[in-house]
Amino acid sequence: MMTFRKPLSHKHLSGYMRVRSRRGNWLAVVLLRVSRRDLFYCLTALLIFCLGSVFYQLNGGAPKVLLDVGYYLGRFADGHGSLAPRALPFPSQVVYNRVGKCGSRTIVQLLRMLVDRHRFTLISSDIHNKTRLTKREQENLIRNISTTPQPFLYTRHVHFLNFSRFRTDEPVHINIIRDPINRFLSNYFFRRFGDWRGEENHIVRTPGMKDDERYLDINTCILESYPECSNLRLFYIIPYFCGQHPQCREPGVWALEMAKQNVLDHYLLVGVLEELEDVLLLLERLLPHFFSDVLNIYRSPEYRKLGNMTGTVRKQIPNLEALQVLYERMEYEYKFYNFVKAQFHLTKRKIGLRSGPVNSLEWTEQT
């Protein structure tokens, strides 16, 4: 059976018309209140937005303030559902081509304590004796580093890698060096006797070393020009910054100047171990996503117990004659060290740090 609706009565029809009339009047009032000045403001805002979009594309990204806003919005979303993806910090790619016996194990220990807190990828290579790479090896390593999930920090004992040479986005580079003679002595005795973690370390690192070499007096090694204490073996720090060119391994002005230029062009920070606390503080300020709160961790009693295990054992100081010979053989190393220290102090002044160095004798004894 079909049913028919009754037509609206005059009372209902007139009420319906009044409702529509009120809606129409409200819209008309809103449109009348939009003056030409308001319209001008709207069009100006639209123009600014368009210009900003063009500026964004021409400069390859957003201003830092927008990146920071995006990062915090991402952090908020991570804790409250999937409102927005977490924005990457800038920089999100860091390479630490750590120099041997320059506090690198201390930095890596601290990074391992920070990685879960700050949620970044840490890759610490176990390759220690392969610092010089062929072109193919450089290309493969750079490709592997670049495909690591961001944000990441990659660290390995390797001479400087020029990412731009292989048409790859260049990461931020950081490093730490120390007084060249102190570094040499630390390495000399570490290879023979290890550190406080256990003297079996030296057996793993130098399994073929005979006792007459292991117990060779440091003064004899220097003054009688044994290979380990000769010029080529003492030219150690500069190649880490000069790069993979064969000439970087030859002591001279060319390698020195190339290393200096790379520090200026490619490194965000190169610190000196004798002022480690200031290095950590600068890393906190320059790379907060990776190093925030690192200085407090380093000063904590819990870390001090762990850090004391990395000190080289049985270390001895050569006599004055041997030290003078070492200094003369390390002429270029000291020129580079003094250059880096001057740049580091310049960075400290720019940031506003006025603290002095830690006791260098303490570091000589502990590392």
Side-chain angles (χ1 to χ4, degrees):
M1 176 184 293
M2 297 181 61
T3 59
F4 298 91
R5 296 182 61 183
K6 294 182 180 181
L8 295 173
S9 65
H10 176 72
K11 180 178 179 180
H12 287 88
L13 185 59
S14 60
Y16 175 72
M17 293 298 293
R18 282 196 300 272
V19 171
R20 291 199 60 183
S21 176
R22 284 198 298 270
R23 291 176 179 173
N25 292 338
W26 177 82
L27 181 61
V29 169
V30 171
L31 291 175
L32 288 174
R33 287 183 177 178
V34 178
S35 64
R36 293 181 179 179
R37 184 179 63 181
D38 296 330
L39 183 61
F40 171 78
Y41 287 154
C42 291
L43 293 176
T44 302
L46 181 61
L47 177 63
I48 293 174
F49 175 80
C50 294
L51 291 176
S53 177
V54 172
F55 178 80
Y56 175 93
Q57 296 179 52
L58 290 177
N59 287 274
K64 183 177 183 301
V65 62
L66 294 183
L67 291 172
D68 291 340
V69 170
Y71 168 67
Y72 284 108
L73 286 177
R75 288 183 62 186
F76 175 81
D78 286 345
H80 300 81
S82 56
L83 297 178
R86 184 168 68 95
L88 290 173
F90 180 82
S92 59
Q93 305 175 69
V94 179
V95 171
Y96 170 30
N97 63 313
R98 59 188 191 266
V99 182
K101 303 309 295 176
C102 289
S104 60
R105 283 181 295 159
T106 296
I107 300 299
V108 171
Q109 283 179 347
L110 292 169
L111 284 168
R112 285 171 177 162
M113 300 172 74
L114 291 166
V115 64
D116 291 331
R117 180 184 305 188
H118 298 319
R119 295 188 300 167
F120 61 88
T121 303
L122 174 64
I123 299 180
S124 179
S125 174
D126 293 328
I127 301 175
H128 300 284
N129 300 317
K130 182 71 173 175
T131 58
R132 309 166 188 175
L133 309 178
T134 65
K135 184 177 180 180
R136 176 60 60 86
E137 289 172 335
Q138 293 176 57
E139 186 176 10
N140 291 338
L141 178 58
I142 287 174
R143 184 187 304 112
N144 291 338
I145 293 174
S146 301
T147 56
T148 302
Q150 299 181 30
F152 70 78
L153 191 150
Y154 178 87
T155 176
R156 172 181 166 175
H157 292 295
V158 64
H159 293 168
F160 171 73
L161 297 168
N162 192 337
F163 281 66
S164 59
R165 180 187 176 195
F166 297 93
R167 300 181 181 181
T168 304
D169 291 341
E170 186 168 5
V172 162
H173 296 266
I174 61 172
N175 219 321
I176 300 176
I177 65 173
R178 71 189 293 188
D179 178 272
I181 289 180
N182 285 339
R183 193 219 69 81
F184 165 75
L185 294 176
S186 181
N187 183 68
Y188 183 89
F189 290 101
F190 177 73
R191 290 182 67 247
R192 287 160 169 77
F193 308 115
D195 54 32
W196 291 109
R197 293 175 299 174
E199 292 194 28
E200 66 275 5
N201 285 283
H202 72 273
I203 299 176
V204 175
R205 293 182 180 275
T206 55
M209 184 179 288
K210 297 180 180 180
D211 285 347
D212 57 347
E213 181 182 0
R214 191 176 304 280
Y215 295 100
L216 176 65
D217 180 72
I218 182 66
N219 296 298
T220 302
C221 180
I222 296 169
L223 297 176
E224 297 186 12
S225 299
Y226 278 67
E228 187 173 359
C229 302
S230 65
N231 286 338
L232 287 177
R233 296 290 293 273
L234 298 177
F235 192 70
Y236 183 87
I237 297 176
I238 288 177
Y240 273 87
F241 298 87
C242 179
Q244 298 290 336
H245 194 283
Q247 200 168 345
C248 287
R249 300 187 285 275
E250 299 176 9
V253 175
W254 189 91
L256 170 64
E257 294 302 321
M258 179 62 71
K260 288 181 179 180
Q261 196 60 48
N262 283 338
V263 168
L264 296 176
D265 293 343
H266 300 283
Y267 282 81
L268 178 66
L269 181 70
V270 181
V272 291
L273 186 62
E274 291 80 7
E275 303 175 45
L276 181 58
E277 290 201 359
D278 285 349
V279 175
L280 297 177
L281 186 55
L282 284 179
L283 288 172
E284 277 197 43
R285 297 191 181 184
L286 297 173
L287 296 170
H289 185 78
F290 299 91
F291 290 97
S292 181
D293 206 37
V294 67
L295 188 55
N296 287 333
I297 295 176
Y298 173 73
R299 289 172 172 172
S300 66
E302 293 78 13
Y303 173 77
R304 288 293 184 177
K305 294 178 182 178
L306 180 64
N308 288 338
M309 299 299 293
T310 62
T312 302
V313 299
R314 299 195 187 185
K315 188 188 297 185
Q316 302 173 15
I317 304 299
N319 60 38
L320 290 179
E321 182 184 3
L323 286 174
Q324 182 62 34
V325 171
L326 271 183
Y327 186 81
E328 292 172 358
R329 291 175 182 172
M330 293 183 167
E331 173 189 3
Y332 295 110
E333 292 277 278
Y334 270 99
K335 287 182 177 180
F336 181 72
Y337 172 73
N338 290 330
F339 166 80
V340 166
K341 187 161 63 170
Q343 293 296 315
F344 178 67
H345 290 165
L346 178 61
T347 303
K348 285 172 59 175
R349 289 195 297 270
K350 289 180 178 179
I351 298 295
L353 293 185
R354 298 182 181 274
S355 56
V358 298
N359 189 322
S360 58
L361 177 61
E362 176 186 345
W363 268 107
T364 302
E365 294 173 347
Q366 291 184 355
T367 59

